[in-house]
Amino acid sequence: MTTKETLKKYFGYDSFRGGQEELTSSILSGKDVLGIMPTGAGKSICFQLPAIMLEGITLVVSPLISLMQDQVRALIQSGIPAAYINSSLTYRQVEAALYNAKNGKYKLIYVAPERLLTPDFLTFARSVKISMLTVDEAHCISQWGQDFRPSYAEIPEFINQLEERPIVSAFTATATKRVREDILSLLKLQNPTVLVTGFNRENLYFEVQEPSNKMQALFDFLHENRDKSGIVYCFTRKTVEEVCEEINHQGHSALRYHAGLGDRERHQNQEDFLFDKVQIMVATNAFGMGIDKSNVGFVVHYNMPKDIESYYQEAGRAGRDGSEATCLMLYSGKDVVMNKWLIENAKDTLSVDEETATKLKERDYRRLRDMTFYARTTDCLRGYILRYFGESPKPHCGNCSNCGTKFETIDITKESQKILSCIARTGERFGAGVIIDVLKGSQSKRIKELEFDKLSTYNISQEDVHTLHSMIEFLVQQDYLHRDDGQYAILSFSSKSQNVLKGKVSLEMKLPKEVKSKVKENAKTRKSGTAILPPDREELFNSLKILRKQIADVQGVPPFVIFYDKALIEMCVQLPESEKQFLDISGVGDAKLAKYGERFLQIIKEYKKEKSIKTEPIMSKSVGQKSRKDNLKSLILPSEDVLKKIEIVEKPSQITFIAQAINLVMAEHECSTVSPIKISEWLMSQGYLKISEQEGKRTKIPSEKGLRFGISQEKREREKAKYSVNLYPSSMQEFIIEHICDILEFQTREKSKK
């Protein structure tokens, strides 16, 4: 079989995703590889698929028991023989697994790094043909990574002990340039293919809040997301206990997870979460690495993590199946203080020499500073993360809280002079808290003992505390102030400070002009990747979920191992009638068709009969352009090269002008043209516009989702008649162009209805 035939047969996918084919081909040609791919991008297939096709066994080094169990369950469901060897097995179970492996029963064996150099495993490894050694979560080998594990350092020694060196492949979701270099060097990868596919997760919505009451903010969010499964991360065991108890009191179902619990309770709670028996997991960062639960709809950080790497890895556990998901951080200044305490008391610096310990601490303070900047930035949150990992994103993503908040630019020169003057008069010896207390005229005992109430800068600011914090953060970020990375975050002058004090520069910064409830509203239609569940198919979706749960319970596996939500949604959209059509569903391979096809097809058949559905199934974007052309033969769809020629203007434009720019290029290349009215109707079908009735007139106006993407309204007057027009920013123009094939198909279907 070819790689694509193997991909379809075992995994149910018709085509590779970005980077998968290149990495797979490199492995099959005998090359080492390093793949840096974001969570949800399909890293596992990059080594699982070649493992099936290579002669012999593939060993997968994995850091967590839960990760091994999830992946082995999924492989077995797909008809791929696999096993894991770790501390959860008894000696006899390990013995049996190794015996079966020697006799060619498995293609993949997942193993904990601690077991590699044990005599029994080493004897086994030398007695069989190991075609590939895969290092999953490869960042764990680097001392400069966020999850350094000393046991990973044993991997190179294990490779050296083998009779014949296998192909070595390494994969991780988050790795800075230094960590990537460590992986290449420490694993001694030979002339490897190195592929960084990009870190962007378009389906994730990022938001930062700085609420006065975190618990209430959390409750408000959970109320808006009552039907979704999610994770709430907390700093400490105590906070986990408190938050979990309060969530349950609010009527949600939540369980806890932290290192202070017994192994049995931790394991049971994790299983209940994976098996959809409980909605929410409240946990420390001890939970989650490698958890393959596909339907996590949100990740909330109740406290700010210590670095961007940790945050993005943890947030990335949402939306693994491509569905829209929310990543919310509830920030407070106390989080910074706690993180600094953790840095000062870090255990990973106890086993290294003093010089290395100092460097690690400096590294951690730099990372904390970058994390704090993220929490306080007014720029695009997604862009901030992507720039941190070395990418060059667009300035406006349209899918984060900052891109959806209206800001105003204000002059802060005078207020900055007050701040700098106060820092100078207090001797450049204090952090932001003391400086703000002085500026606001605090009556605290400490301020009076220091006699700061006698300073000329005492009680001279009319700004609120939150705004002053934002201004100080801005001055630090723009290098007009220096903040010590130590525990007390002392503020002092930089080389640029005097320019502000002497009035040689003017400073402007963005502040929120309109702060609404920025939490993303519940979508009325479910989205999974590119497939949208129509509202009238919710009943069928629920029936398929019930069947999936019944099968999963009988087999003792999580429901998502049977089928992802994405596959169920596609079934509802496509309404397959035959086994051949069922195989067209993303994620359905030969093994799952044989096991489950008949039962799922029967439910779909009964649903169509009950609803008297005789029409052709609604088309999904995921069908692909070739299939779209077959079904809509009258359309001549543009290629990507044609779309690149369409002009995007920086100035927000009306839909008429956008359509003109599109059709000018389309006509030139003999492609179908689009009506501006149909573009508006399509945007309304996607939730970016809505109907408003005013004075008996029905007009299309931006929805909350549209406003977040930057669509605005402008009032105009012509011949004394007042009216409003919708204006679409460059990011929305680009979005429309990217989806022009879908809009053309929508236009054709609407015409055919008439």
Side-chain angles (χ1 to χ4, degrees), residues 4 137 152 211 223 240 257 266 280 286 291 351 437 571 709:
K4 287 193 175 180
E137 307 292 348
Y152 264 59
H223 178 73
V240 167
Y257 190 103
R266 279 205 311 273
I280 300 165
I291 292 295
S351 59
D437 281 349
M571 291 177 202
F709 212 122

Side-chain angles (χ1 to χ4, degrees), residues 541-576:
F541 180 71
N542 289 331
S543 298
L544 296 176
K545 282 178 68 177
I546 290 170
L547 174 60
R548 180 181 67 175
K549 184 71 164 60
Q550 290 171 345
I551 295 171
D553 287 346
V554 169
Q555 296 192 16
V557 298
F560 67 82
V561 169
I562 307 299
F563 286 121
Y564 282 178
D565 281 3
K566 179 179 181 179
L568 299 188
I569 291 172
E570 280 198 31
M571 291 177 202
C572 295
V573 171
Q574 297 298 322
L575 299 177

Side-chain angles (χ1 to χ4, degrees), residues 698-716:
R698 288 166 57 88
T699 58
K700 299 185 186 75
I701 65 171
S703 64
E704 285 296 318
K705 184 176 180 180
L707 290 171
R708 283 203 308 272
F709 212 122
I711 304 175
S712 59
Q713 268 207 323
E714 185 177 283
K715 295 187 182 299
R716 296 185 178 179

Side-chain angles (χ1 to χ4, degrees), residues 592-630:
K592 290 190 176 183
L593 171 65
K595 290 179 184 177
Y596 314 123
E598 185 177 347
R599 281 176 282 181
F600 280 86
L601 285 169
Q602 183 60 33
I603 284 184
I604 295 168
K605 181 180 179 182
E606 291 172 358
Y607 173 83
K608 291 178 72 173
K609 183 178 180 181
E610 179 187 344
K611 301 296 182 181
S612 301
I613 297 175
K614 297 180 181 179
T615 56
E616 290 295 315
I618 298 170
M619 290 186 62
S620 164
K621 275 174 56 181
S622 59
V623 173
Q625 187 163 308
K626 182 179 179 182
S627 178
R628 286 199 292 259
K629 286 183 178 180
D630 291 339

Side-chain angles (χ1 to χ4, degrees), residues 394-422:
K394 299 171 186 174
H396 180 93
C397 77
N399 196 31
C400 76
S401 57
N402 282 0
C403 287
T405 298
K406 292 183 179 179
F407 291 93
E408 62 178 343
T409 301
I410 64 168
D411 189 307
I412 63 164
T413 306
K414 288 185 178 180
E415 205 63 37
S416 298
Q417 290 171 338
K418 293 177 185 179
I419 292 169
L420 290 168
S421 181
C422 187

